Amino acid sequence: MSEVRTLKVALLGCGNVGAQVARILIDDAEALAARSGARLELSGIAVRTIDAPRDVELPRELFTTDADTLVKDADLVIELMGGIEPARSLILTAIQNGACVVTGNKALLAQDGPTLYEEADKAGVQLSYEAAVAGAIPILRPIRDSLSGDRITRVLGIVNGTTNFILDQMDTTGAQFADALAEAQRLGYAEADPTADVEGHDAAAKAAILASLSFHTRFSLDDVYCEGITKVSAADIASAKEAGFVIKLLAIAEKIDSSDNGSGISVRVHPTLLPREHPLAAVRGAFNAVFIEAENAGELMFYGQGAGGTPTASAVLGDLVSAARRLVLGGPGRTETTTGHVPALAIDASTTSYYIGLDVADQAGVLARIAHIFAENGVSIEIMRQTIHRDSGSNVASAELKIVTHRASEAALAATVEAVKGLDVINSVTSVLRVEGV
Amino acid sequence: MSEVRTLKVALLGCGNVGAQVARILIDDAEALAARSGARLELSGIAVRTIDAPRDVELPRELFTTDADTLVKDADLVIELMGGIEPARSLILTAIQNGACVVTGNKALLAQDGPTLYEEADKAGVQLSYEAAVAGAIPILRPIRDSLSGDRITRVLGIVNGTTNFILDQMDTTGAQFADALAEAQRLGYAEADPTADVEGHDAAAKAAILASLSFHTRFSLDDVYCEGITKVSAADIASAKEAGFVIKLLAIAEKIDSSDNGSGISVRVHPTLLPREHPLAAVRGAFNAVFIEAENAGELMFYGQGAGGTPTASAVLGDLVSAARRLVLGGPGRTETTTGHVPALAIDASTTSYYIGLDVADQAGVLARIAHIFAENGVSIEIMRQTIHRDSGSNVASAELKIVTHRASEAALAATVEAVKGLDVINSVTSVLRVEGV
């Protein structure tokens, strides 16, 4: 090409990821121009404090506190400020001005994605957000484009590196949650206030985004059942390990066709047992992975780094180059279809297998009584294993009972556990954990 | 939408994959229309023999032997005939008529891709071929789009299910190559004439395609060094296993910057040792996976089914829906950038680690003499392990020497092995295998 167009790129936010995006835009300008067919000129970086300390040294004249003016003069806007406002308003301004937007803001998308997608559709611009889920791993584009001729039936994702690191530590070293969390904080994998990670809120936002794309229907955070990992004990991990499982915090979106609970999509985040031979079980440390089951494609897995400035910047720049190509070559930017219109199901309507640990009195007939309660509530037992503990005098003390069920509804399981608790022979219910991949 | 456009889809070929594509186009017409924004009407299926037996029952009136007429009247053409002609001419006719083309023909793309890509660019139509590499796994689109703002440095792929099945069998059961091949043939994983798979030709075609997209330069089959798995013995596998490795047939494309051999891309297919903890080592049976290393994204892996009618049909239909969206929404279809212009390097210029097994006389000074030869040839030894075999009378018989080197050039390694063979204390060189992932 003799004449190369220049596209102005406005960057909003210069944290961990933003600083790397700016660096690559400057350092790799030539390669990015060759790939996108246009010069991508970083026209400015909007920040709160111009002279704040940053990871990367960048030309001071690029910085501005006037995000609004910067956005209005841009062809492409990269939003990496995080949070709801002013990110939301700035993105809407960009869209209304005909700019394509790239964002990594999962909280905003999970809360208010539908409005943003609609505005982008109306304006005929692209709104891309590969960086919002599973960092560097290309997962949203494959779901949206590569699997567009298939039907996804289920998505299981390890989409939060902090919790995966903590659970992996607990699994490897036998540590308690609090100690593993402290280690994660020491190594920089967990923040000082780890709530958003350990309570599953971060994973829940990503689950809403994954579910929306996978099932062509817009789900928001309100549709996601969320349970974090703070109650997972070293004993849970040890007990799961002994039974051949590993515990992972999974973001799950799956299609449910049930005559009892209706048909729809169950979107949920909770600690989950996975058989050790499941591909997701091998995802260690702070890595992320998304496992997809589709009617025709079968099982697929996408694995890589889920966070970090440079890996996440790779996803941002992939979106940016793709958007620039579109601008150069023409053609509008409809980025997803939302014709599914399937309802989100409450957690009660989802079915999984369960692992239940019970501390019971070792009396004749106990197993039969427990099995009877399961049957009464329509929960089928797959495996039941009893370990008897005797005291030093070889007298009967108590027994440990481990049960893995077939798939059952959340409601049936809850009723079963309630009824079991009421038995006089039950000392305690030690674990109730969901199982996938069996 | 009140008014929905209809796009005519011509299907060329009705084998394993084609029959599934036709079935899904008919059965899932409604969902495909919702996702692409147009009705996708299967206007005909070109075959050699109308009444040949097929996997799926399809309306007889769809079949025709006149591929040429069918193609000229189509908006979208799916080529699944395989082979070079008439596939090549039909694709060119489709492109010249302004139709978008979806193909899974790796042999044609590896041999004559550059011509086809250029013609498609000139005509402003899309030529998509996700199904050509790793079946159902979305790998080409992520490389082309998601990683377009990054620099890929290396691709390691298990892209042939037949050979992965055979090697996995050998690894699991200790079988010899011939027995594992027979088992693969019995189970339908290998064809009666397995040459294209076991000699690595199929993987080599895929390596050329992967290298072209990853390094923005067009590589053809002639640029690929290719070595199959027929010489891999049960002893090689056992010996690798003992040392903590698994043997996989890998398609490798990597960037090499060397002052000695020049800079460029090494594209090659050969049996390769991988540490058992490497993510690719866990890819069992006939599954495929592609492992990518990129400057910013770090390590990524894509895993799934590499073959089979239905999984591959999923990839074909993903391309079809994406192409249809483009036709509906407007905008041309440039599908890749080829501005890299980096040279393909001969196998001599590539560097890997090597595993070398030697049967040596157990004499004083043997290790030193061998180590000296390695040093002389600039090959650095990482691990050297000697196992001494004594005969029943406890007399010295021979020793087995296992060496893992640091990264060395193919040329230096060849010279080293030649020199070692010349030593009088060497009974035989039992294995020379490349190692990746260490």
Side-chain angles (χ1 to χ4, degrees):
Chain A
M1 266 177 280
S2 52
E3 184 188 341
V4 176
R5 192 170 153 191
T6 296
L7 295 173
K8 285 191 177 176
V9 180
L11 176 60
L12 311 180
C14 196
N16 197 10
V17 180
Q20 295 299 335
V21 168
R23 176 187 64 78
I24 298 167
L25 275 171
I26 294 168
D27 290 355
D28 284 357
E30 207 183 318
L32 293 170
R35 306 226 190 119
S36 49
R39 262 174 31 83
L40 302 178
E41 181 194 296
L42 180 57
S43 57
I45 308 173
V47 290
R48 253 182 313 211
T49 315
I50 301 239
D51 289 312
R54 322 209 183 273
D55 295 351
V56 177
E57 194 157 330
L58 295 163
R60 196 176 184 282
E61 64 272 20
L62 284 176
F63 289 94
T64 173
T65 53
D66 183 0
D68 225 52
T69 305
L70 186 65
V71 161
K72 282 182 178 149
D73 191 37
D75 302 296
L76 297 155
V77 173
I78 303 173
E79 186 275 306
L80 296 169
M81 317 171 90
I84 305 302
E85 284 295 350
R88 187 179 174 282
S89 303
L90 289 166
I91 289 176
L92 286 172
T93 303
I95 289 172
Q96 279 145 17
N97 277 281
C100 289
V101 176
V102 177
T103 175
N105 195 330
K106 55 201 163 275
L108 175 59
L109 291 168
Q111 180 181 309
D112 210 18
T115 313
L116 301 178
Y117 308 143
E118 262 160 47
E119 290 299 316
D121 272 2
K122 249 191 270 169
V125 301
Q126 275 197 299
L127 171 64
S128 331
Y129 44 95
E130 185 66 76
V133 181
I137 309 173
I139 176 68
L140 302 184
R141 186 171 280 110
I143 290 178
R144 196 188 66 204
D145 295 334
S146 310
L147 289 165
S148 58
D150 205 333
R151 277 180 223 267
I152 292 174
T153 50
R154 194 192 221 190
V155 179
L156 303 178
I158 295 174
V159 292
N160 180 276
T162 305
T163 48
N164 200 56
F165 178 86
I166 293 171
L167 292 171
D168 192 26
Q169 277 288 110
M170 292 174 73
D171 187 73
T172 313
T173 67
Q176 285 291 358
F177 170 75
D179 298 328
L181 170 60
E183 175 73 359
Q185 286 171 320
R186 200 181 62 77
L187 294 170
Y189 287 124
E191 293 180 41
D193 175 1
T195 313
D197 291 319
V198 299
E199 295 294 355
H201 304 153
D202 172 79
K206 292 163 178 170
I209 297 170
L210 283 171
S212 299
L213 281 174
S214 301
F215 297 102
H216 309 281
T217 299
R218 283 161 185 169
F219 297 104
S220 80
L221 202 49
D222 298 338
D223 299 316
V224 186
Y225 170 84
C226 177
E227 201 181 305
I229 64 164
T230 55
K231 287 177 204 139
V232 177
S233 67
D236 285 334
I237 302 256
S239 172
K241 200 170 187 171
E242 200 194 301
F245 293 99
V246 62
I247 299 184
K248 298 285 186 191
L249 182 71
L250 294 190
I252 301 174
E254 69 179 335
K255 204 172 155 189
I256 297 198
D257 287 304
S258 147
S259 47
D260 299 341
N261 296 300
S263 295
I265 309 301
S266 166
V267 194
R268 54 192 203 271
V269 169
H270 53 64
T272 315
L273 269 71
L274 283 170
R276 295 225 162 229
E277 59 277 16
H278 192 282
L280 283 176
V283 178
R284 312 291 301 273
F287 271 82
N288 280 16
V290 179
F291 187 81
I292 294 180
E293 293 171 30
E295 269 180 23
N296 299 319
E299 299 181 346
L300 299 169
M301 191 173 79
F302 303 77
Y303 164 95
Q305 293 191 60
T310 312
T312 309
S314 170
V316 170
L317 287 159
D319 276 349
L320 191 76
V321 168
S322 296
R325 281 182 190 163
R326 279 283 178 96
L327 287 180
V328 171
L329 298 169
R334 198 170 74 160
T335 51
E336 40 149 8
T337 57
T338 52
T339 53
H341 304 307
V342 282
L345 295 180
I347 187 72
D348 284 355
S350 74
T351 66
T352 61
S353 298
Y354 292 85
Y355 171 86
I356 298 141
L358 299 171
D359 182 358
V360 301
D362 183 32
Q363 294 175 8
V366 169
L367 254 69
R369 288 175 67 192
I370 292 170
H372 180 68
I373 289 180
F374 274 75
E376 242 178 12
N377 285 282
V379 178
S380 161
I381 292 174
E382 191 186 355
I383 304 165
M384 193 174 209
R385 193 188 304 164
Q386 188 175 214
T387 316
I388 296 173
H389 304 286
R390 295 183 189 275
D391 63 22
S392 53
S394 223
N395 294 320
V396 167
S398 70
E400 201 187 334
L401 207 59
K402 290 177 186 171
I403 296 169
V404 177
T405 74
H406 285 116
R407 286 181 87 82
S409 78
E410 195 76 25
L413 196 278
T416 307
V417 171
E418 264 326 291
V420 166
K421 277 183 181 162
L423 286 177
D424 53 1
V425 293
I426 298 288
N427 297 327
S428 66
V429 177
T430 52
S431 310
V432 179
L433 290 163
R434 299 175 187 87
V435 183
E436 294 286 347
V438 285
Chain B
M1 264 175 282
S2 54
E3 184 189 339
V4 176
R5 191 168 154 193
T6 296
L7 296 173
K8 286 192 176 176
V9 180
L11 176 60
L12 311 179
C14 197
N16 196 12
V17 181
Q20 294 299 336
V21 167
R23 175 187 64 77
I24 298 167
L25 276 171
I26 294 168
D27 289 355
D28 284 356
E30 210 183 316
L32 294 170
R35 307 227 189 119
S36 49
R39 264 175 30 82
L40 302 178
E41 181 194 296
L42 179 58
S43 58
I45 308 172
V47 291
R48 253 183 313 212
T49 315
I50 302 241
D51 290 311
R54 317 206 188 276
D55 295 349
V56 178
E57 194 156 327
L58 294 163
R60 196 176 185 282
E61 63 272 21
L62 284 176
F63 289 95
T64 173
T65 53
D66 183 0
D68 225 51
T69 305
L70 186 65
V71 161
K72 283 182 179 148
D73 191 36
D75 301 297
L76 297 155
V77 173
I78 303 172
E79 185 276 307
L80 296 168
M81 317 171 90
I84 305 302
E85 283 296 349
R88 187 180 174 282
S89 303
L90 288 166
I91 289 177
L92 286 172
T93 302
I95 289 172
Q96 280 144 17
N97 277 280
C100 290
V101 176
V102 177
T103 175
N105 195 330
K106 55 200 164 274
L108 175 58
L109 290 169
Q111 180 181 309
D112 210 17
T115 314
L116 301 178
Y117 307 143
E118 262 160 48
E119 289 299 317
D121 272 1
K122 247 190 274 172
V125 302
Q126 276 196 298
L127 170 64
S128 332
Y129 43 95
E130 186 65 76
V133 179
I137 309 173
I139 176 68
L140 302 185
R141 185 171 282 111
I143 290 178
R144 197 189 64 201
D145 295 333
S146 309
L147 289 166
S148 58
D150 206 333
R151 278 179 221 267
I152 292 174
T153 50
R154 197 191 218 189
V155 179
L156 302 178
I158 295 174
V159 292
N160 180 275
T162 306
T163 47
N164 201 55
F165 178 86
I166 292 171
L167 292 171
D168 192 26
Q169 277 287 110
M170 292 173 72
D171 186 72
T172 314
T173 67
Q176 285 290 357
F177 170 75
D179 298 328
L181 170 60
E183 176 71 359
Q185 285 171 320
R186 200 182 62 78
L187 294 170
Y189 289 123
E191 294 180 41
D193 176 1
T195 313
D197 292 318
V198 299
E199 295 294 355
H201 304 153
D202 172 78
K206 293 163 178 171
I209 296 170
L210 282 172
S212 299
L213 281 175
S214 301
F215 297 103
H216 309 281
T217 299
R218 283 163 183 167
F219 297 104
S220 80
L221 202 48
D222 298 338
D223 298 315
V224 186
Y225 170 83
C226 177
E227 202 181 304
I229 64 164
T230 53
K231 286 177 206 141
V232 177
S233 67
D236 285 334
I237 303 258
S239 171
K241 200 169 186 171
E242 201 194 299
F245 293 99
V246 60
I247 300 184
K248 297 286 186 191
L249 182 71
L250 293 190
I252 301 173
E254 68 179 335
K255 204 171 155 189
I256 296 197
D257 286 305
S258 148
S259 48
D260 299 341
N261 296 299
S263 295
I265 308 301
S266 166
V267 193
R268 54 193 204 271
V269 169
H270 53 65
T272 314
L273 268 71
L274 282 170
R276 295 225 161 228
E277 60 276 18
H278 192 281
L280 283 175
V283 178
R284 311 290 303 272
F287 272 80
N288 281 15
V290 179
F291 188 82
I292 293 181
E293 294 171 31
E295 270 181 22
N296 299 319
E299 298 182 346
L300 299 169
M301 190 173 81
F302 302 78
Y303 164 95
Q305 294 192 59
T310 311
T312 309
S314 170
V316 169
L317 287 158
D319 277 349
L320 191 75
V321 168
S322 296
R325 282 181 188 163
R326 280 285 178 97
L327 287 179
V328 170
L329 298 170
R334 197 169 74 160
T335 51
E336 40 149 10
T337 55
T338 53
T339 52
H341 305 306
V342 282
L345 296 180
I347 186 72
D348 284 355
S350 73
T351 66
T352 62
S353 297
Y354 292 85
Y355 171 87
I356 298 140
L358 299 172
D359 182 358
V360 301
D362 182 32
Q363 294 177 6
V366 168
L367 255 68
R369 286 175 67 192
I370 292 171
H372 181 70
I373 290 180
F374 274 74
E376 242 179 13
N377 286 281
V379 178
S380 159
I381 292 174
E382 190 186 357
I383 302 166
M384 194 175 209
R385 193 189 304 164
Q386 187 174 217
T387 315
I388 296 174
H389 303 286
R390 297 186 187 271
D391 63 21
S392 53
S394 219
N395 293 321
V396 168
S398 70
E400 203 186 334
L401 207 57
K402 291 175 186 174
I403 296 168
V404 177
T405 74
H406 285 116
R407 288 181 85 83
S409 78
E410 194 77 23
L413 196 278
T416 308
V417 172
E418 262 327 292
V420 166
K421 275 184 183 161
L423 287 177
D424 52 3
V425 292
I426 298 287
N427 297 328
S428 66
V429 176
T430 53
S431 309
V432 179
L433 291 162
R434 298 173 188 89
V435 182
E436 293 288 346
V438 283

